Amino acid sequence: MCGIFGFIGNRAAAPLLVEGLRRLEYRGYDSSGIVVRNGDLQVYKKVGKVSELSKILPNHIEGNSGIAHTRWATHGGVTDSNAHPHLSENGDVAVVHNGIIDNARGIRKRLEDRGFELKSETDSEALVHMITIGLDSGQEPLEAVRQTLNRLSGTWGLCVLFKEHDMIICARNGSPLILGQGDGESFISSDPHALSRHTQNIFFLEDGDMAVINKDGIDISRLEGGSSSTSMTVIEDDWGEADMAGYPHFMLKEIHEQPEALRRCISGRLDRANGSAKLGGLKLEPVRLRSAPHVRLIGCGTALNACKIGQLAIESLARIPAVAHVASEFRYNDPVINPNAIHFAVSQSGETADTLSAVKEIQLKGGDVHGIVNVVGSTIARLCGQGVYIHSGPEQAVASTKAFTNMVASLLLFALRIGRTRSFSRERGRSIIDDFQKIPDLMENYLSNPGPIDEAVELLKEAKSVLFLGRGLSAPVASEGALKLMEIAYIPCLAYPAGEMKHGPIALLEEGSPVVVIAPNDRHREKTISSMHECKARGAKIILIHEEGDSISEEADVSIAIPKCDSILTPLLSVVPTQLIAYKVALALGCDVDRPRNLAKSVTVE
Ligand code: AGP
């Protein structure tokens, strides 16, 4: 989604801004732009990739401060004029803005009535004119920005650059903004990935914070006046360099990183002696685990699919009711919150607005929430203040892969932990742990010989639609496989619990329709075979993901074998072929695998 980068210091700003934008590219965007302060405010902006912007930049741009933006269209189409930065009519003020201004229509109308000629269709452009009105009436820059923000409703991560003042002013309300303090230089970003190579000294702005940024310092205050309690954090987590390491795409790299990422996630957390798991970030004493009435898991997209697996694993191992919730629905359904219940917010980015608002809803109603999050220091992680980091490392492809497997692994660890306090024996716990420890190696083995993925691609690449089926823990895996293929290959995909297929989606099947079935050798196997027969009787072609050595493979048109493991762990392995299938179908169709159209990596609007 939209990204912001800013710099003020003694170095040339333009190359740093462009490099910052490149680091934000993975979030998804449709245009980009920079403004550099060099006597005047020089704006360059362009529809398309940052590489398109680079083509219109002069070879050398003087100037030691500037702000930059990648835009993911919300108000107004994808055009050069709608791209940020927006410049005031007198050329004195430039803004970049993430978020949505809800009362922009009225403000734009009032500005037009005052004689302003708005050059874009965006909500963001209104801000630059409002700030200019404040400056023209004699306000200092901070006051002009403050007065402007006080007239807005909506969300913002905002940066303002001034022709006449050697500073950048930033503000946050509902859209992340992170400031970095270097040696004689300061940085701004909407995303910690873009800052970590410049400095470890970070300020995570809170909602309602404003900041004046100079090369020598950062002064943070509150929108309502007074100073802010936001303080500097030294980021110690080694986020690592997010390059492609010789792979043609981030997605393929991240699929192959899963064994190592999973090792990181479970390392030191499997407690074989007790047949349990240690999750230091969870502030849940055994008495709370034993007495909790239920568990709720909340997420979006891939995280939601991980929640659904968590729900089944927690119920199965701990015999406690568990429910997965669609985050975007949660708050608006006015949920009843039991303060004794256990709540999890699951998110790779830790910035997803829908998930964030669900966290706030639970907290408002007296519940506490644990984060299951990848990005260290992200808004959800900080708001929850407790939880589990999944340690996937940077995930750059829009299609989530290694975060999914580590979310599932983290929820399985929790299922072990709560299960041991409530229901199952140490021996059962040890047996799961013994298999859990083997999963990274089994994944590696599978990835070194993934089976006939290309045959599956041949069946799928020209399909009008694809049906994904699974039962039990494999039903959410089917959903995840369908989501992956749909989002990067643009093929309409339906995922159904296999038994539900005959109640509707079977109508779609005709001669040659591809159906992807996930059928590990668990207690659902026989029933899944019946569903497959129903598909085959209608001429469907079956791409079957099954355990190696299982005679179920005879049912398949394309049989993809995964290693055997304890049935509670199968999603960690059975999802991997679905990721490879999506990747290779998208490639075969010439799609932009890492940056699929319309999608954003981090969805920071509701
Ligand atoms: C995954 O492939 C998707 N791009 C998307 O569904 C994603 O999982 C969802 O937007 C949630 O993101 P989060 O994990 O960062 O909260």
PDB file of all heavy atoms in Angstrom, residues 298 327 330-331 337 343-347 350 352-373 379-385:
ATOM      1  N   ILE A 298      -7.891 -13.704  15.171  1.00  0.00           N
ATOM      2  CA  ILE A 298      -8.396 -12.701  14.229  1.00  0.00           C
ATOM      3  C   ILE A 298      -7.315 -12.361  13.208  1.00  0.00           C
ATOM      4  O   ILE A 298      -6.150 -12.127  13.568  1.00  0.00           O
ATOM      5  CB  ILE A 298      -8.805 -11.429  15.007  1.00  0.00           C
ATOM      6  CG1 ILE A 298      -9.945 -11.801  15.966  1.00  0.00           C
ATOM      7  CG2 ILE A 298      -9.262 -10.323  14.072  1.00  0.00           C
ATOM      8  CD1 ILE A 298      -9.958 -11.065  17.236  1.00  0.00           C
ATOM      9  N   ALA A 327     -11.123 -10.294  10.333  1.00  0.00           N
ATOM     10  CA  ALA A 327     -10.862  -9.054  11.081  1.00  0.00           C
ATOM     11  C   ALA A 327     -11.751  -7.904  10.619  1.00  0.00           C
ATOM     12  O   ALA A 327     -12.250  -7.119  11.433  1.00  0.00           O
ATOM     13  CB  ALA A 327      -9.391  -8.677  10.949  1.00  0.00           C
ATOM     14  N   PHE A 330     -15.075  -8.025  12.310  1.00  0.00           N
ATOM     15  CA  PHE A 330     -15.106  -8.224  13.762  1.00  0.00           C
ATOM     16  C   PHE A 330     -15.711  -7.035  14.501  1.00  0.00           C
ATOM     17  O   PHE A 330     -16.724  -7.140  15.174  1.00  0.00           O
ATOM     18  CB  PHE A 330     -13.685  -8.525  14.258  1.00  0.00           C
ATOM     19  CG  PHE A 330     -13.642  -8.998  15.670  1.00  0.00           C
ATOM     20  CD1 PHE A 330     -13.963 -10.305  15.989  1.00  0.00           C
ATOM     21  CD2 PHE A 330     -13.296  -8.136  16.702  1.00  0.00           C
ATOM     22  CE1 PHE A 330     -13.930 -10.748  17.305  1.00  0.00           C
ATOM     23  CE2 PHE A 330     -13.266  -8.560  18.009  1.00  0.00           C
ATOM     24  CZ  PHE A 330     -13.584  -9.872  18.307  1.00  0.00           C
ATOM     25  N   ARG A 331     -15.076  -5.887  14.317  1.00  0.00           N
ATOM     26  CA  ARG A 331     -15.478  -4.707  15.077  1.00  0.00           C
ATOM     27  C   ARG A 331     -16.909  -4.303  14.767  1.00  0.00           C
ATOM     28  O   ARG A 331     -17.678  -3.905  15.644  1.00  0.00           O
ATOM     29  CB  ARG A 331     -14.516  -3.588  14.709  1.00  0.00           C
ATOM     30  CG  ARG A 331     -14.858  -2.248  15.202  1.00  0.00           C
ATOM     31  CD  ARG A 331     -13.976  -1.276  14.431  1.00  0.00           C
ATOM     32  NE  ARG A 331     -13.857  -0.021  15.096  1.00  0.00           N
ATOM     33  CZ  ARG A 331     -12.987   0.906  14.720  1.00  0.00           C
ATOM     34  NH1 ARG A 331     -12.135   0.655  13.755  1.00  0.00           N
ATOM     35  NH2 ARG A 331     -12.939   2.048  15.315  1.00  0.00           N
ATOM     36  N   ILE A 337     -17.228  -9.372  24.295  1.00  0.00           N
ATOM     37  CA  ILE A 337     -15.855  -9.728  24.690  1.00  0.00           C
ATOM     38  C   ILE A 337     -15.848 -10.202  26.136  1.00  0.00           C
ATOM     39  O   ILE A 337     -16.297  -9.496  27.036  1.00  0.00           O
ATOM     40  CB  ILE A 337     -14.905  -8.511  24.534  1.00  0.00           C
ATOM     41  CG1 ILE A 337     -14.875  -8.047  23.063  1.00  0.00           C
ATOM     42  CG2 ILE A 337     -13.501  -8.822  25.051  1.00  0.00           C
ATOM     43  CD1 ILE A 337     -14.375  -9.070  22.076  1.00  0.00           C
ATOM     44  N   HIS A 343      -7.351 -13.875  23.276  1.00  0.00           N
ATOM     45  CA  HIS A 343      -7.510 -13.334  21.922  1.00  0.00           C
ATOM     46  C   HIS A 343      -6.151 -13.238  21.242  1.00  0.00           C
ATOM     47  O   HIS A 343      -5.182 -12.784  21.864  1.00  0.00           O
ATOM     48  CB  HIS A 343      -8.119 -11.924  21.966  1.00  0.00           C
ATOM     49  CG  HIS A 343      -9.439 -11.859  22.648  1.00  0.00           C
ATOM     50  ND1 HIS A 343      -9.577 -11.495  23.975  1.00  0.00           N
ATOM     51  CD2 HIS A 343     -10.678 -12.136  22.203  1.00  0.00           C
ATOM     52  CE1 HIS A 343     -10.853 -11.538  24.312  1.00  0.00           C
ATOM     53  NE2 HIS A 343     -11.546 -11.928  23.257  1.00  0.00           N
ATOM     54  N   PHE A 344      -6.122 -13.623  19.975  1.00  0.00           N
ATOM     55  CA  PHE A 344      -4.907 -13.464  19.178  1.00  0.00           C
ATOM     56  C   PHE A 344      -5.200 -12.603  17.957  1.00  0.00           C
ATOM     57  O   PHE A 344      -6.201 -12.825  17.264  1.00  0.00           O
ATOM     58  CB  PHE A 344      -4.391 -14.818  18.668  1.00  0.00           C
ATOM     59  CG  PHE A 344      -3.738 -15.648  19.729  1.00  0.00           C
ATOM     60  CD1 PHE A 344      -4.374 -16.773  20.224  1.00  0.00           C
ATOM     61  CD2 PHE A 344      -2.495 -15.314  20.228  1.00  0.00           C
ATOM     62  CE1 PHE A 344      -3.777 -17.548  21.203  1.00  0.00           C
ATOM     63  CE2 PHE A 344      -1.889 -16.081  21.210  1.00  0.00           C
ATOM     64  CZ  PHE A 344      -2.527 -17.192  21.697  1.00  0.00           C
ATOM     65  N   ALA A 345      -4.304 -11.659  17.671  1.00  0.00           N
ATOM     66  CA  ALA A 345      -4.338 -10.913  16.405  1.00  0.00           C
ATOM     67  C   ALA A 345      -3.158 -11.424  15.588  1.00  0.00           C
ATOM     68  O   ALA A 345      -2.006 -11.331  16.030  1.00  0.00           O
ATOM     69  CB  ALA A 345      -4.195  -9.420  16.659  1.00  0.00           C
ATOM     70  N   VAL A 346      -3.451 -11.965  14.415  1.00  0.00           N
ATOM     71  CA  VAL A 346      -2.403 -12.605  13.612  1.00  0.00           C
ATOM     72  C   VAL A 346      -2.144 -11.739  12.379  1.00  0.00           C
ATOM     73  O   VAL A 346      -3.080 -11.419  11.636  1.00  0.00           O
ATOM     74  CB  VAL A 346      -2.832 -14.037  13.217  1.00  0.00           C
ATOM     75  CG1 VAL A 346      -1.718 -14.727  12.438  1.00  0.00           C
ATOM     76  CG2 VAL A 346      -3.190 -14.852  14.467  1.00  0.00           C
ATOM     77  N   SER A 347      -0.885 -11.366  12.178  1.00  0.00           N
ATOM     78  CA  SER A 347      -0.571 -10.471  11.051  1.00  0.00           C
ATOM     79  C   SER A 347       0.910 -10.534  10.706  1.00  0.00           C
ATOM     80  O   SER A 347       1.751 -10.434  11.596  1.00  0.00           O
ATOM     81  CB  SER A 347      -0.947  -9.031  11.427  1.00  0.00           C
ATOM     82  OG  SER A 347      -0.541  -8.128  10.443  1.00  0.00           O
ATOM     83  N   GLY A 350       1.838  -6.614  10.730  1.00  0.00           N
ATOM     84  CA  GLY A 350       1.546  -5.935  12.001  1.00  0.00           C
ATOM     85  C   GLY A 350       0.945  -4.559  11.780  1.00  0.00           C
ATOM     86  O   GLY A 350       0.830  -3.762  12.714  1.00  0.00           O
ATOM     87  N   THR A 352      -1.930  -4.166   9.415  1.00  0.00           N
ATOM     88  CA  THR A 352      -3.202  -4.304   8.704  1.00  0.00           C
ATOM     89  C   THR A 352      -4.316  -3.584   9.467  1.00  0.00           C
ATOM     90  O   THR A 352      -4.609  -3.918  10.626  1.00  0.00           O
ATOM     91  CB  THR A 352      -3.526  -5.795   8.518  1.00  0.00           C
ATOM     92  OG1 THR A 352      -2.448  -6.370   7.788  1.00  0.00           O
ATOM     93  CG2 THR A 352      -4.813  -6.013   7.773  1.00  0.00           C
ATOM     94  N   ALA A 353      -4.942  -2.612   8.810  1.00  0.00           N
ATOM     95  CA  ALA A 353      -5.895  -1.734   9.505  1.00  0.00           C
ATOM     96  C   ALA A 353      -7.083  -2.523  10.059  1.00  0.00           C
ATOM     97  O   ALA A 353      -7.549  -2.238  11.168  1.00  0.00           O
ATOM     98  CB  ALA A 353      -6.370  -0.644   8.547  1.00  0.00           C
ATOM     99  N   ASP A 354      -7.571  -3.498   9.309  1.00  0.00           N
ATOM    100  CA  ASP A 354      -8.740  -4.267   9.778  1.00  0.00           C
ATOM    101  C   ASP A 354      -8.399  -5.022  11.066  1.00  0.00           C
ATOM    102  O   ASP A 354      -9.204  -5.071  12.003  1.00  0.00           O
ATOM    103  CB  ASP A 354      -9.181  -5.271   8.700  1.00  0.00           C
ATOM    104  CG  ASP A 354      -9.766  -4.574   7.480  1.00  0.00           C
ATOM    105  OD1 ASP A 354     -10.503  -3.599   7.655  1.00  0.00           O
ATOM    106  OD2 ASP A 354      -9.477  -5.027   6.360  1.00  0.00           O
ATOM    107  N   THR A 355      -7.225  -5.602  11.103  1.00  0.00           N
ATOM    108  CA  THR A 355      -6.815  -6.374  12.280  1.00  0.00           C
ATOM    109  C   THR A 355      -6.576  -5.430  13.464  1.00  0.00           C
ATOM    110  O   THR A 355      -6.951  -5.711  14.603  1.00  0.00           O
ATOM    111  CB  THR A 355      -5.544  -7.193  11.962  1.00  0.00           C
ATOM    112  OG1 THR A 355      -5.760  -7.873  10.728  1.00  0.00           O
ATOM    113  CG2 THR A 355      -5.226  -8.204  13.051  1.00  0.00           C
ATOM    114  N   LEU A 356      -5.972  -4.295  13.133  1.00  0.00           N
ATOM    115  CA  LEU A 356      -5.697  -3.293  14.167  1.00  0.00           C
ATOM    116  C   LEU A 356      -6.993  -2.814  14.811  1.00  0.00           C
ATOM    117  O   LEU A 356      -7.083  -2.672  16.047  1.00  0.00           O
ATOM    118  CB  LEU A 356      -4.969  -2.126  13.489  1.00  0.00           C
ATOM    119  CG  LEU A 356      -4.337  -1.068  14.340  1.00  0.00           C
ATOM    120  CD1 LEU A 356      -3.346  -1.681  15.313  1.00  0.00           C
ATOM    121  CD2 LEU A 356      -3.607  -0.057  13.446  1.00  0.00           C
ATOM    122  N   SER A 357      -8.028  -2.590  14.003  1.00  0.00           N
ATOM    123  CA  SER A 357      -9.267  -2.085  14.605  1.00  0.00           C
ATOM    124  C   SER A 357      -9.936  -3.173  15.438  1.00  0.00           C
ATOM    125  O   SER A 357     -10.583  -2.861  16.448  1.00  0.00           O
ATOM    126  CB  SER A 357     -10.205  -1.474  13.564  1.00  0.00           C
ATOM    127  OG  SER A 357     -10.576  -2.446  12.654  1.00  0.00           O
ATOM    128  N   ALA A 358      -9.748  -4.439  15.070  1.00  0.00           N
ATOM    129  CA  ALA A 358     -10.294  -5.524  15.900  1.00  0.00           C
ATOM    130  C   ALA A 358      -9.578  -5.545  17.258  1.00  0.00           C
ATOM    131  O   ALA A 358     -10.212  -5.726  18.307  1.00  0.00           O
ATOM    132  CB  ALA A 358     -10.124  -6.860  15.186  1.00  0.00           C
ATOM    133  N   VAL A 359      -8.251  -5.317  17.240  1.00  0.00           N
ATOM    134  CA  VAL A 359      -7.487  -5.287  18.500  1.00  0.00           C
ATOM    135  C   VAL A 359      -8.021  -4.171  19.402  1.00  0.00           C
ATOM    136  O   VAL A 359      -8.282  -4.368  20.598  1.00  0.00           O
ATOM    137  CB  VAL A 359      -5.971  -5.067  18.226  1.00  0.00           C
ATOM    138  CG1 VAL A 359      -5.206  -4.833  19.523  1.00  0.00           C
ATOM    139  CG2 VAL A 359      -5.383  -6.250  17.466  1.00  0.00           C
ATOM    140  N   LYS A 360      -8.244  -3.009  18.789  1.00  0.00           N
ATOM    141  CA  LYS A 360      -8.720  -1.862  19.582  1.00  0.00           C
ATOM    142  C   LYS A 360     -10.104  -2.159  20.162  1.00  0.00           C
ATOM    143  O   LYS A 360     -10.404  -1.780  21.293  1.00  0.00           O
ATOM    144  CB  LYS A 360      -8.755  -0.606  18.709  1.00  0.00           C
ATOM    145  CG  LYS A 360      -7.351  -0.090  18.380  1.00  0.00           C
ATOM    146  CD  LYS A 360      -7.422   1.133  17.491  1.00  0.00           C
ATOM    147  CE  LYS A 360      -6.031   1.640  17.155  1.00  0.00           C
ATOM    148  NZ  LYS A 360      -6.026   2.569  16.020  1.00  0.00           N
ATOM    149  N   GLU A 361     -10.946  -2.818  19.370  1.00  0.00           N
ATOM    150  CA  GLU A 361     -12.304  -3.144  19.830  1.00  0.00           C
ATOM    151  C   GLU A 361     -12.238  -4.062  21.060  1.00  0.00           C
ATOM    152  O   GLU A 361     -12.947  -3.851  22.048  1.00  0.00           O
ATOM    153  CB  GLU A 361     -13.068  -3.835  18.685  1.00  0.00           C
ATOM    154  CG  GLU A 361     -14.458  -4.318  19.024  1.00  0.00           C
ATOM    155  CD  GLU A 361     -15.476  -3.197  19.121  1.00  0.00           C
ATOM    156  OE1 GLU A 361     -15.108  -2.048  18.831  1.00  0.00           O
ATOM    157  OE2 GLU A 361     -16.629  -3.481  19.514  1.00  0.00           O
ATOM    158  N   ILE A 362     -11.385  -5.058  21.000  1.00  0.00           N
ATOM    159  CA  ILE A 362     -11.272  -6.005  22.126  1.00  0.00           C
ATOM    160  C   ILE A 362     -10.753  -5.268  23.361  1.00  0.00           C
ATOM    161  O   ILE A 362     -11.280  -5.424  24.469  1.00  0.00           O
ATOM    162  CB  ILE A 362     -10.330  -7.175  21.757  1.00  0.00           C
ATOM    163  CG1 ILE A 362     -10.937  -7.985  20.612  1.00  0.00           C
ATOM    164  CG2 ILE A 362     -10.063  -8.074  22.970  1.00  0.00           C
ATOM    165  CD1 ILE A 362      -9.960  -8.933  19.941  1.00  0.00           C
ATOM    166  N   GLN A 363      -9.725  -4.432  23.137  1.00  0.00           N
ATOM    167  CA  GLN A 363      -9.136  -3.712  24.277  1.00  0.00           C
ATOM    168  C   GLN A 363     -10.147  -2.736  24.887  1.00  0.00           C
ATOM    169  O   GLN A 363     -10.244  -2.615  26.102  1.00  0.00           O
ATOM    170  CB  GLN A 363      -7.855  -3.002  23.839  1.00  0.00           C
ATOM    171  CG  GLN A 363      -6.744  -3.996  23.500  1.00  0.00           C
ATOM    172  CD  GLN A 363      -5.465  -3.337  23.001  1.00  0.00           C
ATOM    173  OE1 GLN A 363      -5.495  -2.225  22.479  1.00  0.00           O
ATOM    174  NE2 GLN A 363      -4.337  -4.035  23.135  1.00  0.00           N
ATOM    175  N   LEU A 364     -10.905  -2.080  24.010  1.00  0.00           N
ATOM    176  CA  LEU A 364     -11.922  -1.132  24.484  1.00  0.00           C
ATOM    177  C   LEU A 364     -12.951  -1.824  25.368  1.00  0.00           C
ATOM    178  O   LEU A 364     -13.473  -1.252  26.320  1.00  0.00           O
ATOM    179  CB  LEU A 364     -12.619  -0.516  23.267  1.00  0.00           C
ATOM    180  CG  LEU A 364     -13.570   0.631  23.508  1.00  0.00           C
ATOM    181  CD1 LEU A 364     -12.777   1.897  23.812  1.00  0.00           C
ATOM    182  CD2 LEU A 364     -14.454   0.866  22.280  1.00  0.00           C
ATOM    183  N   LYS A 365     -13.232  -3.089  25.048  1.00  0.00           N
ATOM    184  CA  LYS A 365     -14.255  -3.829  25.797  1.00  0.00           C
ATOM    185  C   LYS A 365     -13.653  -4.660  26.927  1.00  0.00           C
ATOM    186  O   LYS A 365     -14.295  -5.575  27.436  1.00  0.00           O
ATOM    187  CB  LYS A 365     -15.051  -4.711  24.841  1.00  0.00           C
ATOM    188  CG  LYS A 365     -15.937  -3.901  23.897  1.00  0.00           C
ATOM    189  CD  LYS A 365     -16.740  -4.788  22.977  1.00  0.00           C
ATOM    190  CE  LYS A 365     -17.777  -3.967  22.206  1.00  0.00           C
ATOM    191  NZ  LYS A 365     -18.433  -4.766  21.161  1.00  0.00           N
ATOM    192  N   GLY A 366     -12.417  -4.361  27.277  1.00  0.00           N
ATOM    193  CA  GLY A 366     -11.836  -4.948  28.480  1.00  0.00           C
ATOM    194  C   GLY A 366     -11.071  -6.236  28.287  1.00  0.00           C
ATOM    195  O   GLY A 366     -10.605  -6.851  29.239  1.00  0.00           O
ATOM    196  N   GLY A 367     -10.910  -6.685  27.044  1.00  0.00           N
ATOM    197  CA  GLY A 367     -10.135  -7.903  26.798  1.00  0.00           C
ATOM    198  C   GLY A 367      -8.675  -7.572  26.532  1.00  0.00           C
ATOM    199  O   GLY A 367      -8.330  -6.427  26.242  1.00  0.00           O
ATOM    200  N   ASP A 368      -7.816  -8.567  26.659  1.00  0.00           N
ATOM    201  CA  ASP A 368      -6.438  -8.351  26.218  1.00  0.00           C
ATOM    202  C   ASP A 368      -6.182  -9.198  24.980  1.00  0.00           C
ATOM    203  O   ASP A 368      -6.850 -10.193  24.732  1.00  0.00           O
ATOM    204  CB  ASP A 368      -5.407  -8.604  27.330  1.00  0.00           C
ATOM    205  CG  ASP A 368      -5.472 -10.009  27.875  1.00  0.00           C
ATOM    206  OD1 ASP A 368      -6.383 -10.757  27.478  1.00  0.00           O
ATOM    207  OD2 ASP A 368      -4.608 -10.366  28.685  1.00  0.00           O
ATOM    208  N   VAL A 369      -5.214  -8.741  24.168  1.00  0.00           N
ATOM    209  CA  VAL A 369      -4.949  -9.386  22.883  1.00  0.00           C
ATOM    210  C   VAL A 369      -3.466  -9.701  22.797  1.00  0.00           C
ATOM    211  O   VAL A 369      -2.618  -8.884  23.172  1.00  0.00           O
ATOM    212  CB  VAL A 369      -5.324  -8.469  21.688  1.00  0.00           C
ATOM    213  CG1 VAL A 369      -5.319  -9.263  20.395  1.00  0.00           C
ATOM    214  CG2 VAL A 369      -6.660  -7.795  21.901  1.00  0.00           C
ATOM    215  N   HIS A 370      -3.165 -10.895  22.286  1.00  0.00           N
ATOM    216  CA  HIS A 370      -1.777 -11.283  22.022  1.00  0.00           C
ATOM    217  C   HIS A 370      -1.529 -11.199  20.521  1.00  0.00           C
ATOM    218  O   HIS A 370      -2.353 -11.665  19.737  1.00  0.00           O
ATOM    219  CB  HIS A 370      -1.524 -12.704  22.524  1.00  0.00           C
ATOM    220  CG  HIS A 370      -1.539 -12.794  24.015  1.00  0.00           C
ATOM    221  ND1 HIS A 370      -2.707 -12.782  24.746  1.00  0.00           N
ATOM    222  CD2 HIS A 370      -0.530 -12.853  24.906  1.00  0.00           C
ATOM    223  CE1 HIS A 370      -2.406 -12.842  26.027  1.00  0.00           C
ATOM    224  NE2 HIS A 370      -1.096 -12.886  26.161  1.00  0.00           N
ATOM    225  N   GLY A 371      -0.410 -10.631  20.158  1.00  0.00           N
ATOM    226  CA  GLY A 371      -0.070 -10.536  18.734  1.00  0.00           C
ATOM    227  C   GLY A 371       0.680 -11.787  18.286  1.00  0.00           C
ATOM    228  O   GLY A 371       1.501 -12.328  19.028  1.00  0.00           O
ATOM    229  N   ILE A 372       0.383 -12.217  17.072  1.00  0.00           N
ATOM    230  CA  ILE A 372       1.223 -13.233  16.412  1.00  0.00           C
ATOM    231  C   ILE A 372       1.668 -12.551  15.133  1.00  0.00           C
ATOM    232  O   ILE A 372       0.913 -12.452  14.167  1.00  0.00           O
ATOM    233  CB  ILE A 372       0.432 -14.533  16.167  1.00  0.00           C
ATOM    234  CG1 ILE A 372       0.046 -15.083  17.527  1.00  0.00           C
ATOM    235  CG2 ILE A 372       1.250 -15.519  15.314  1.00  0.00           C
ATOM    236  CD1 ILE A 372      -0.156 -16.555  17.642  1.00  0.00           C
ATOM    237  N   VAL A 373       2.857 -11.975  15.180  1.00  0.00           N
ATOM    238  CA  VAL A 373       3.244 -10.944  14.222  1.00  0.00           C
ATOM    239  C   VAL A 373       4.651 -11.220  13.708  1.00  0.00           C
ATOM    240  O   VAL A 373       5.496 -11.766  14.433  1.00  0.00           O
ATOM    241  CB  VAL A 373       3.185  -9.564  14.936  1.00  0.00           C
ATOM    242  CG1 VAL A 373       3.775  -8.466  14.082  1.00  0.00           C
ATOM    243  CG2 VAL A 373       1.745  -9.205  15.305  1.00  0.00           C
ATOM    244  N   THR A 379       2.830  -1.828  14.503  1.00  0.00           N
ATOM    245  CA  THR A 379       1.782  -1.219  15.328  1.00  0.00           C
ATOM    246  C   THR A 379       1.019  -2.278  16.137  1.00  0.00           C
ATOM    247  O   THR A 379       0.763  -2.082  17.327  1.00  0.00           O
ATOM    248  CB  THR A 379       0.818  -0.428  14.424  1.00  0.00           C
ATOM    249  OG1 THR A 379       1.603   0.476  13.650  1.00  0.00           O
ATOM    250  CG2 THR A 379      -0.186   0.365  15.239  1.00  0.00           C
ATOM    251  N   ILE A 380       0.639  -3.384  15.500  1.00  0.00           N
ATOM    252  CA  ILE A 380      -0.133  -4.402  16.228  1.00  0.00           C
ATOM    253  C   ILE A 380       0.722  -5.007  17.341  1.00  0.00           C
ATOM    254  O   ILE A 380       0.242  -5.207  18.465  1.00  0.00           O
ATOM    255  CB  ILE A 380      -0.665  -5.485  15.258  1.00  0.00           C
ATOM    256  CG1 ILE A 380      -1.709  -4.857  14.337  1.00  0.00           C
ATOM    257  CG2 ILE A 380      -1.244  -6.686  16.019  1.00  0.00           C
ATOM    258  CD1 ILE A 380      -2.234  -5.757  13.224  1.00  0.00           C
ATOM    259  N   ALA A 381       1.998  -5.260  17.045  1.00  0.00           N
ATOM    260  CA  ALA A 381       2.884  -5.828  18.079  1.00  0.00           C
ATOM    261  C   ALA A 381       2.964  -4.878  19.268  1.00  0.00           C
ATOM    262  O   ALA A 381       2.879  -5.295  20.432  1.00  0.00           O
ATOM    263  CB  ALA A 381       4.275  -6.084  17.496  1.00  0.00           C
ATOM    264  N   ARG A 382       3.089  -3.580  18.992  1.00  0.00           N
ATOM    265  CA  ARG A 382       3.236  -2.631  20.093  1.00  0.00           C
ATOM    266  C   ARG A 382       1.929  -2.436  20.843  1.00  0.00           C
ATOM    267  O   ARG A 382       1.911  -2.331  22.068  1.00  0.00           O
ATOM    268  CB  ARG A 382       3.783  -1.301  19.572  1.00  0.00           C
ATOM    269  CG  ARG A 382       5.272  -1.400  19.230  1.00  0.00           C
ATOM    270  CD  ARG A 382       5.871  -0.111  18.746  1.00  0.00           C
ATOM    271  NE  ARG A 382       5.301   0.274  17.486  1.00  0.00           N
ATOM    272  CZ  ARG A 382       4.591   1.377  17.280  1.00  0.00           C
ATOM    273  NH1 ARG A 382       4.381   2.230  18.249  1.00  0.00           N
ATOM    274  NH2 ARG A 382       4.096   1.657  16.100  1.00  0.00           N
ATOM    275  N   LEU A 383       0.829  -2.416  20.089  1.00  0.00           N
ATOM    276  CA  LEU A 383      -0.472  -2.208  20.739  1.00  0.00           C
ATOM    277  C   LEU A 383      -0.825  -3.393  21.646  1.00  0.00           C
ATOM    278  O   LEU A 383      -1.350  -3.202  22.750  1.00  0.00           O
ATOM    279  CB  LEU A 383      -1.549  -2.033  19.662  1.00  0.00           C
ATOM    280  CG  LEU A 383      -2.877  -1.469  20.116  1.00  0.00           C
ATOM    281  CD1 LEU A 383      -2.689  -0.066  20.679  1.00  0.00           C
ATOM    282  CD2 LEU A 383      -3.867  -1.414  18.949  1.00  0.00           C
ATOM    283  N   CYS A 384      -0.537  -4.589  21.177  1.00  0.00           N
ATOM    284  CA  CYS A 384      -0.829  -5.774  22.016  1.00  0.00           C
ATOM    285  C   CYS A 384       0.126  -5.808  23.211  1.00  0.00           C
ATOM    286  O   CYS A 384      -0.274  -6.172  24.316  1.00  0.00           O
ATOM    287  CB  CYS A 384      -0.694  -7.058  21.209  1.00  0.00           C
ATOM    288  SG  CYS A 384      -1.953  -7.237  19.936  1.00  0.00           S
ATOM    289  N   GLY A 385       1.376  -5.465  22.962  1.00  0.00           N
ATOM    290  CA  GLY A 385       2.359  -5.424  24.055  1.00  0.00           C
ATOM    291  C   GLY A 385       2.741  -6.812  24.544  1.00  0.00           C
ATOM    292  O   GLY A 385       3.530  -6.947  25.476  1.00  0.00           O
TER     293      GLY A 385
END
